[in-house]
């Protein structure tokens, strides 16, 4: 979908569908609604009355009209909340979803947005992500017949700032959709090798540096925990390092490292998952997908911060060489780890990759995204991510960014008391604690491998992949985490 700006009056905009947002209880006062209503001889107000539309969040009204440049008007309720950007995103997403069978759609921004440029960016992102559909494996009749080709956003004046916002919103929307494509890709096609190739191709396309290690290379580095997980798989593992180094970065500018869990499939290994838990485990590389997305966004937006992305990609399978409960392996940083449950594989991969990233880059902040534990979903539900941090300032900066973007995280405790659950009789530590507090003991395990870093672990097991649409997120891969990370990095760049 191609998004552009228009300064035409809402009554004149040519499109197959025109979408507008109206605040709760503001029907009579909203000037755009009034203009459109007047031009259609009161058709909108009559329809609103008939359908009891008052502008509450989630309400929508689709009216066929004459007298406008568009034959159909979609009126979306904005609710009476604060005038947040995320309201703009949500009506843009809804407009794009509702318009999936029209070629050309148009969106009029709410009148009361505090910052029109920001609104253009968010609306563009919303239109592009709202029209997302994973169609890669559909054939014949299953392919959507009509798709929205263009979307126009009505603005007061199309100044340079608005055009830049359009460009940035497009970059972000396309990046999020790309992350979703990676997460939705079937695991027989998106192998660790293919995931690394995708990272390389994106890096080449957008001017990032990219280094990939194959199995031999990972062996040479000494990542024995990562390799243990790979043992049962017929597919080679891959370690990927992408980097964005902006030209002319200021001296003393911050260096941020993102690390992503890249399990292209998690069968559980010998501690095999039951079918119901296994069926969606292609999503276990979502942390890696977000990491690639963040790096791509940095390059496409030209962010003034140095950002690195590391991905540990492998499958967790049950082949004859599979690692076993009871095995002991020595990590990259020399700690011995007793394997308890082969389904707790993500933390093993991350441990070695975190060690390597912390050592090589010595970042100001080390941040990992991982679909790490079902326990995190038990604690926080399916839509909220767990946030663990050993640095309060990092955590609060991140939560501020998340709040502005409308993504939900919850700070979880790194309870020192639970540390004793990771004690092993025969090795330096076990990698799994008990059932209770499972997401916390997982985070405590990771913390052993971060050196002196200021670090944050984001457990996205819930929101990375949904079994039904929620809010502005589609079913399946969501791209959760990208917008918050970008917002956080932008704020860091501004404060530098
Ligand atoms: N990849 C899973 C976690 C997961 C669960 C992600 C549901 C997305 C949705 C992870 O590797 C796993 O299996 N964790 C185990 C840990 C346990 C064995 C200590 C879990 O959560 O059950
Ligand atoms: Mn697992
Ligand atoms: Zn996993």
């Amino acid at each position: 979908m191609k998004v552009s700006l228009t300064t035409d009056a809402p009554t004149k905009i040519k499109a197959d569908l025109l979408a507008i947002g109206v605040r709760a209880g503001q029907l009579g006062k909203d000037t755009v609604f009034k203009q459109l209503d007047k031009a259609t001889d009161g058709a909108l107000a009559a329809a609103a009355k008939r359908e009891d539309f008052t502008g509450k969040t989630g309400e929508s009204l689709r009216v066929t009209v004459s007298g406008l440049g568009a034959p159909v008007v979609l009126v979306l309720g904005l609710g009476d909340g604060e005038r947040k950007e995320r309201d703009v995103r949500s009506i843009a997403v809804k407009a794009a979803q509702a318009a999936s069978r029209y070629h050309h759609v148009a969106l009029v921004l709410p009148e009361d947005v505090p910052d029109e440029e920001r609104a253009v960016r968010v609306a563009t992102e919303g239109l592009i992500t709202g029209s997302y559909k994973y169609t890669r494996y559909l054939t014949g009749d299953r392919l959507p017949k009509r798709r929205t080709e263009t979307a126009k956003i009505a603005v007061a004046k199309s100044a340079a700032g608005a055009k830049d916002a359009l460009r940035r919103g497009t970059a972000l929307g396309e990046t999020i959709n790309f992350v979703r494509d990676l997460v939705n890709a079937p695991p027989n096609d998106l192998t660790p090798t293919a995931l690394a190739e995708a990272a390389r191709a994106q890096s080449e396309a957008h001017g990032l540096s990219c280094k990939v290690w194959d199995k031999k290379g990972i062996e040479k580095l000494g990542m024995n925990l990562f390799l243990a997980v790979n043992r049962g798989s017929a597919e080679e593992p891959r370690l990927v390092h992408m980097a964005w180094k902006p030209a002319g970065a200021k001296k003393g500018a911050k260096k941020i490292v993102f690390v992503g869990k890249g399990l292209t499939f998690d069968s559980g290994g010998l501690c095999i998952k039951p079918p119901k838990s296994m069926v969606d485990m292609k999503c276990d590389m979502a942390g890696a997908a977000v990491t690639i997305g963040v790096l791509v966004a940095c390059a496409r937006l030209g962010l003034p911060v140095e950002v690195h992305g590391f991905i540990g990609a492998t499958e967790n399978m049950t082949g004859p060489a599979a690692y076993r409960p009871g095995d002991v392996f020595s990590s990259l940083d020399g700690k011995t780890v007793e394997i308890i449950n082969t389904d707790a594989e993500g933390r093993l991969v991350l441990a070695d990759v975190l060690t390597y990233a912390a050592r090589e880059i010595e970042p100001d902040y080390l941040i990992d995204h991982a679909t790490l534990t079902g326990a995190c979903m038990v604690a926080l539900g399916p839509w909220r991510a767990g946030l663990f941090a050993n640095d309060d300032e990092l955590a609060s900066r991140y939560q501020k960014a998340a709040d502005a973007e409308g993504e939900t995280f919850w700070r979880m405790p790194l309870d020192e008391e639970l540390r004793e659950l990771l004690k092993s009789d025969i090795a330096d530590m076990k990698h799994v604690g008990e059932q209770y507090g499972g997401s916390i003991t997982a985070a405590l395990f990771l913390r052993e491998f971060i050196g002196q870093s200021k670090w944050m672990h984001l457990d996205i097991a819930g929101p990375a992949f949904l079994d039904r649409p929620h809010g502005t997120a589609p079913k399946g891969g969501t791209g959760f985490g990208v917008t918050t990370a970008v917002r956080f990095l932008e704020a860091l760049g501004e404060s530098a």
Side-chain angles (χ1 to χ4, degrees), residues 73 142 198 214 249 308 311 324 359 363 425 431-432 448:
V73 178
R142 295 295 316 280
D214 61 9
H308 297 259
I311 290 159
R324 323 158 185 82
R359 218 188 247 175
D425 292 336
H431 74 136
V432 172
E448 297 295 317

Side-chain angles (χ1 to χ4, degrees), residues 329-412:
F329 296 96
S330 171
S331 68
L332 174 60
D333 82 338
K335 291 189 191 77
T336 55
V337 176
E338 182 187 5
I339 302 305
I340 302 299
N341 185 324
T342 61
D343 197 11
E345 81 299 333
R347 63 195 75 181
L348 298 170
V349 173
L350 287 173
D352 280 344
V353 180
L354 285 167
T355 298
Y356 184 76
R359 218 188 247 175
E360 286 296 304
I361 312 293
E362 297 184 8
D364 292 280
Y365 291 134
L366 178 62
I367 300 168
D368 73 75
H369 285 92
T371 46
L372 203 63
T373 66
C376 197
M377 301 166 71
V378 173
L380 300 177
W383 301 313
R384 191 181 280 274
L387 182 159
F388 299 82
N390 65 0
D391 184 80
D392 292 342
E393 196 191 339
L394 171 58
S396 69
R397 281 183 175 191
Y398 222 78
Q399 280 178 301
K400 215 173 132 198
D403 187 49
E405 292 295 328
E407 290 190 324
T408 52
F409 292 80
W410 196 259
R411 179 126 185 226
M412 298 281 284

Side-chain angles (χ1 to χ4, degrees), residues 142-157:
R142 295 295 316 280
L143 274 169
K145 278 165 211 61
R146 283 158 154 270
R147 303 222 71 180
T148 309
E149 285 157 20
T150 72
K152 286 181 204 161
I153 299 173
V155 289
K157 47 186 185 316

Side-chain angles (χ1 to χ4, degrees), residues 1 50 205 296:
M1 178 198 282
R50 207 166 49 234
V296 167

Side-chain angles (χ1 to χ4, degrees), residues 261 263 266 273 281 284 316 343-346 371-372:
K261 170 176 173 182
L263 266 287
D266 178 13
K273 287 179 185 293
M281 277 305 134
D284 215 16
N316 184 23
D343 197 11
E345 81 299 333
T371 46
L372 203 63

Side-chain angles (χ1 to χ4, degrees), residues 116-337:
E116 190 175 74
E117 283 172 18
R118 197 86 209 186
V120 166
R121 168 167 158 177
V122 173
T124 306
E125 181 208 310
L127 285 165
I128 291 174
T129 56
S131 64
Y132 179 78
K133 208 168 164 356
Y134 189 64
T135 56
R136 173 87 172 71
Y137 292 84
L138 298 177
T139 68
D141 283 353
R142 295 295 316 280
L143 274 169
K145 278 165 211 61
R146 283 158 154 270
R147 303 222 71 180
T148 309
E149 285 157 20
T150 72
K152 286 181 204 161
I153 299 173
V155 289
K157 47 186 185 316
S158 155
K163 284 190 187 131
D164 191 53
L166 178 75
R167 201 182 56 74
R168 287 166 177 272
T170 303
L172 260 176
E174 289 177 357
T175 302
I176 291 164
N177 286 352
F178 171 74
V179 170
R180 293 173 176 176
D181 275 348
L182 285 179
V183 175
N184 288 329
N188 58 325
D189 280 352
L190 195 83
T191 59
T193 317
L195 181 59
E197 278 314 310
R200 196 201 291 282
Q202 287 294 309
S203 299
E204 275 167 18
H206 300 293
L208 296 154
S209 69
C210 182
K211 183 168 179 190
V212 178
W213 288 259
D214 61 9
K215 185 169 172 186
K216 274 210 187 86
I218 300 168
E219 281 167 358
K220 260 195 208 131
L221 292 175
M223 296 188 167
N224 297 319
L225 297 183
F226 183 174
L227 291 162
V229 174
N230 179 251
R231 289 177 58 101
S233 168
E235 294 286 341
E236 275 221 2
R238 289 288 185 267
L239 171 69
V240 181
H241 174 198
M242 300 164 75
W244 166 245
K245 290 183 188 164
K250 285 179 222 143
K251 247 200 145 163
K254 287 203 157 53
K255 277 195 285 189
I256 316 300
V257 167
F258 287 86
V259 171
K261 170 176 173 182
L263 266 287
T264 60
F265 187 69
D266 178 13
S267 72
L270 290 179
C271 307
I272 196 162
K273 287 179 185 293
K276 272 199 177 127
S277 310
M278 203 193 295
V279 63
D280 285 335
M281 277 305 134
K282 66 176 184 182
C283 81
D284 215 16
M285 37 57 71
V290 172
T291 303
I292 298 172
V294 170
L295 268 287
V296 167
C298 286
R300 290 187 68 174
L301 302 182
L303 297 190
V305 262
E306 182 173 329
V307 183
H308 297 259
F310 289 86
I311 290 159
T314 176
E315 293 179 325
N316 184 23
M317 300 292 276
T318 58
Y323 77 137
R324 323 158 185 82
D327 282 352
V328 175
F329 296 96
S330 171
S331 68
L332 174 60
D333 82 338
K335 291 189 191 77
T336 55
V337 176

